[in-house]
Amino acid sequence: GAGVSQSPSNKVTEKGKDVELRCDPISGHTALYWYRQRLGQGLEFLIYFQGNSAPDKSGLPSDRFSAERTGESVSTLTIQRTQQEDSAVYLCASSLETSGSYEQYFGPGTRLTVT
Amino acid sequence: DAKTTQPNSMESNEEEPVHLPCNHSTISGTDYIHWYRQLPSQGPEYVIHGLTSNVNNRMASLAIAEDRKSSTLILHRATLRDAAVYYCMTRDMEYGNKLVFGAGTILRVKS
């Protein structure tokens, strides 16, 4: 079946511009997660959704980062006034529920380069 | 956050079994143990997870210590395609069970 998809796969933007990254989770998955992975490093949790609600936004690096989810489906991660340190691969994952007994399925990621 | 400890790297010969250890001494009684792997230039891929009993699936086996403070991921016959970074983690029961990724173990497979 269809997995998690993300778009665009690559995005190059100038410093100061806004960018939107999109995630389409597996159909029926109520939980959705965003992570960031800088070059050569591990994954950093950003935010998760249970349905359309985001109970935990503590991982967002700054107020330039925001995310929303609609229809318990697609999610958008928005970065305003991008900075060079925002360059990274942004990964989305979905899970049937948020319970620890369920695995997460990851998308291929969006590689963001801020010049 | 729940913490895990893994060796930085391991090496295996092709077609031989590989045992990847993980320590999670601060695990709570209801936390699951999850393993993911990440191949170069790809997103993480789920491998296996368990709570108390040993688990087997088509990819691997998971052996969990009786006190649950450690576990071992077992690849029964390593192939070149198994070369990846392997992450062990416990699902943090707070904050929607976000995955807390450590540094992982780089597995190299020699032909």
Side-chain angles (χ1 to χ4, degrees):
Chain A
V4 177
S5 61
Q6 294 184 245
S7 61
S9 55
N10 280 285
K11 177 72 176 179
V12 180
T13 189
E14 292 181 354
K15 178 182 174 181
K17 300 284 190 183
D18 298 351
V19 294
E20 282 190 356
L21 311 180
R22 177 187 169 107
C23 172
D24 285 273
I26 293 173
S27 178
H29 280 193
T30 61
L32 187 148
Y33 303 77
W34 283 97
Y35 297 86
R36 177 171 71 177
Q37 186 171 33
R38 289 198 167 105
L39 186 63
Q41 298 189 19
L43 275 74
E44 173 189 2
F45 169 77
L46 297 179
I47 190 172
Y48 88 96
F49 290 88
Q50 175 58 45
N52 294 330
S53 301
D56 177 18
K57 301 180 181 178
S58 62
L60 293 176
S62 74
D63 58 9
R64 296 186 295 104
F65 287 72
S66 63
E68 65 174 15
R69 188 181 185 195
T70 58
E72 297 198 0
S73 180
V74 64
S75 175
T76 302
L77 177 68
T78 301
I79 309 173
Q80 295 179 309
R81 305 181 301 282
T82 52
Q83 303 295 312
Q84 288 188 331
E85 63 261 28
D86 299 333
S87 296
V89 175
Y90 289 82
L91 291 154
C92 172
S94 72
S95 179
L96 198 58
E97 294 182 12
T98 57
S99 163
S101 61
Y102 293 100
E103 62 270 28
Q104 293 187 11
Y105 294 90
F106 284 79
T110 293
R111 181 175 299 278
L112 175 66
T113 303
V114 182
T115 62
Chain B
D1 291 342
K3 293 286 192 281
T4 61
T5 305
Q6 299 177 252
N8 291 333
S9 65
M10 292 185 68
E11 199 169 78
S12 171
N13 293 317
E14 201 174 8
E15 301 297 317
E16 290 185 358
V18 181
H19 291 231
L20 297 166
C22 180
N23 288 318
H24 28 79
S25 58
T26 60
I27 191 172
S28 70
T30 54
D31 286 350
Y32 280 79
I33 300 156
H34 283 247
W35 284 82
Y36 287 74
R37 71 180 185 182
Q38 189 172 23
L39 279 67
S41 302
Q42 295 188 26
E45 174 188 32
Y46 166 79
V47 178
I48 199 166
H49 75 286
L51 184 62
T52 56
S53 303
N54 294 343
V55 184
N56 299 292
N57 66 19
R58 64 176 179 81
M59 290 182 70
S61 295
L62 177 60
I64 301 173
E66 194 170 336
D67 63 6
R68 298 198 345 113
K69 294 184 184 300
S70 65
S71 63
T72 302
L73 178 71
I74 303 166
L75 305 179
H76 295 286
R77 291 178 64 192
T79 69
L80 296 178
R81 288 173 296 181
D82 291 323
V85 180
Y86 285 78
Y87 296 99
C88 159
M89 65 205 74
T90 55
R91 288 291 291 272
D92 193 331
M93 294 302 286
E94 297 179 13
Y95 305 126
N97 293 295
K98 65 183 181 183
L99 292 175
V100 180
F101 283 79
T105 296
I106 299 171
L107 175 65
R108 297 183 178 90
V109 181
K110 299 184 296 182
S111 59

